[in-house]
Amino acid sequence: LGVRRAVGAHAYLSVRRGGRIAVVDSTTAVTADAADPFEVGLDQGAHATAHGKVLLASLGRPARRRYLDEHGLPRLTEHTITSPDRFEAELRRVRAAGVAVSVGETDPAYTCVAVPLGDGTRALSVSLPTARFRGRRSELARVLTRAARHGFPAASE
């Protein structure tokens, strides 16, 4: 089954290229009426997303510092990590676990879960209303990890 069907939530493929992070594919219909926290395109708030955390965690410290010097850690919601020390600690957890979670950091109503794909320049993620996330962290991480292991190249598969 596709990631979206397996978890009942929108799935995304994000990439890190040339010092930028972008969502490049989504299972969200272009004309979707439902609210959705991520659109295909450059991600200006990547530090507050699970896919951004996965992609930033894969960078070496000097490259990560350059990214953060350029983009900063702006507060998007009351849950956004804005302290460089707390952010580095979060990325250590992401590297150790192989999965990132963002609960209300970009949009207070949404949670995002992501895993790295391949060499760490791509990430696969899902986003769902936080009320539907509760108690599903392990399940979502398992579905994403399995999809990444089996080489799903696009979020829409």
Side-chain angles (χ1 to χ4, degrees):
L1 284 178
V3 171
R4 179 183 174 157
R5 285 179 295 194
V7 301
H10 289 299
Y12 307 88
L13 176 67
S14 302
V15 298
R16 177 178 40 82
R17 257 190 246 143
R20 300 260 186 222
I21 292 174
V23 175
V24 295
D25 196 7
S26 167
T27 60
T28 307
V30 175
T31 59
D33 293 330
D36 185 26
F38 305 114
E39 295 180 1
V40 171
L42 286 178
D43 189 344
Q44 302 300 330
H47 68 289
T49 68
H51 59 263
K53 290 177 186 182
V54 162
L55 295 170
L56 291 170
S58 70
L59 288 173
R61 192 172 181 92
R64 193 167 52 252
R65 283 187 182 214
R66 281 192 302 277
Y67 180 90
L68 294 176
D69 286 347
E70 182 177 339
H71 300 280
L73 294 168
R75 180 173 302 283
L76 304 177
T77 74
E78 66 180 285
H79 303 290
T80 306
I81 297 172
T82 58
S83 157
D85 291 338
R86 280 193 57 220
F87 191 69
E88 284 297 324
E90 175 73 1
L91 296 186
R92 282 192 297 276
R93 283 190 290 277
V94 168
R95 282 190 296 276
V99 64
V101 178
S102 169
V103 180
E105 291 183 58
T106 301
D107 180 316
Y110 283 87
T111 291
C112 182
V113 180
V115 298
L117 291 173
D119 63 0
T121 60
R122 299 177 304 145
L124 180 62
S125 62
V126 293
S127 173
L128 65 162
T130 298
R132 289 186 35 224
F133 169 73
R134 303 212 192 293
R136 296 186 66 195
R137 180 184 184 134
S138 295
E139 169 203 355
L140 297 171
R142 187 173 52 254
V143 168
L144 288 169
T145 300
R146 186 173 49 238
R149 206 173 27 244
H150 288 88
F152 282 90
S156 58
E157 292 192 359

